[in-house]
Every structure is written in C-alpha cells, then in structure tokens.
C-alpha cells in the first residue's frame, strides 16, 4: 500500500513559495522531467543531473513543501510526481509558461 509524504493542500500553495522553489536551476530541471505527469523514482540516474542522492533529496523536499510535487512511498522506494492539475487550478498557465521558457523545452527522463 502506498503512503505519501505530507504536502500543502491546494489552497495553501503560495505563489512566492512556488517561484522561490523554481528559482533554482536543478529544481527547474527536475520539474522539466516531471512535466510528463508520471511518477519517477527518486534516484540521481533517473534525472541525469550529476548530484548526490542527499542533494537530490533536498531539492525534492523544497519542491514538495512549495506544493509543486507529491512523493509516494512504496516500501523503501520513493517516487515523485508533479502536481500539475493542482498547480494549473491554483495558478492557471504558470507551469506552461515556465516550461516554455526553458531553453530546450521539457527534458525527457533518463531511463
């Protein structure tokens, strides 16, 4: 049975927190990969960004606490997914604008 890390309710997501979370290049790359709407394993090789697992965990925590992602636990495995529907409802067009502004568009997951 899957469990989920705590995350803000949709009406608790604040634009300043979202923008602050998106102001980091690594987190933008993570969001870009997560833009496909699928769950992704929380492993550095899944995102091909060249950081340690502990650093990746920090960035996922920032994204989750800002309301951008949800993290699912299945046994010892962590999987993360973009909260696309919630964000589109709360801030219409924001994610599309952010992703469109990336130099090469959304990134495909490595694996």
């Amino acid at each position: 049975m899957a469990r989920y890390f705590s995350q803000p309710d949709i009406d608790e997501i604040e634009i300043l927190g979202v923008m602050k979370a998106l102001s980091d290049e690594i987190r933008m790359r993570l969001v870009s990969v997560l833009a496909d709407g699928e769950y992704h394993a929380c492993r550095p090789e899944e995102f091909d960004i060249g950081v340690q697992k502990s650093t990746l965990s920090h960035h996922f925590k920032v994204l989750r606490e800002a309301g951008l992602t949800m993290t699912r636990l299945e046994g010892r495995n962590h999987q993360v997914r973009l909260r696309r529907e919630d964000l589109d409802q709360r801030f219409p067009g924001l994610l599309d604008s952010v992703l469109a502004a990336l130099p090469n568009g959304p990134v495909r997951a490595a694996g």
Side-chain angles (χ1 to χ4, degrees), residues 45-89:
E45 57 273 9
E46 177 80 13
F47 295 90
D48 193 30
I49 55 175
V51 298
Q52 298 294 320
K53 188 173 182 178
S54 61
T55 301
L56 190 62
S57 294
H58 164 74
H59 288 295
F60 281 132
K61 179 181 177 186
V62 170
L63 291 171
R64 187 183 72 252
E65 289 179 349
L68 284 153
T69 62
M70 63 174 46
T71 302
R72 175 173 72 185
L73 299 162
E74 290 186 354
R76 294 181 51 189
N77 299 315
H78 294 70
Q79 297 180 328
V80 66
R81 176 178 162 280
L82 191 63
R83 292 177 65 183
R84 180 76 186 232
E85 299 82 18
D86 290 345
L87 291 162
D88 285 345
Q89 181 180 338

Side-chain angles (χ1 to χ4, degrees), residues 94-111:
L94 176 66
L95 279 179
D96 289 334
S97 296
V98 166
L99 293 169
L102 292 173
N104 298 318
V107 176
R108 299 280 181 242

Side-chain angles (χ1 to χ4, degrees), residues 26-38:
I26 291 174
R27 290 191 290 270
M28 280 295 299
R29 183 166 174 86
L30 296 174
V31 167
S32 177
V33 171
L34 295 171
D36 66 4
E38 301 296 322

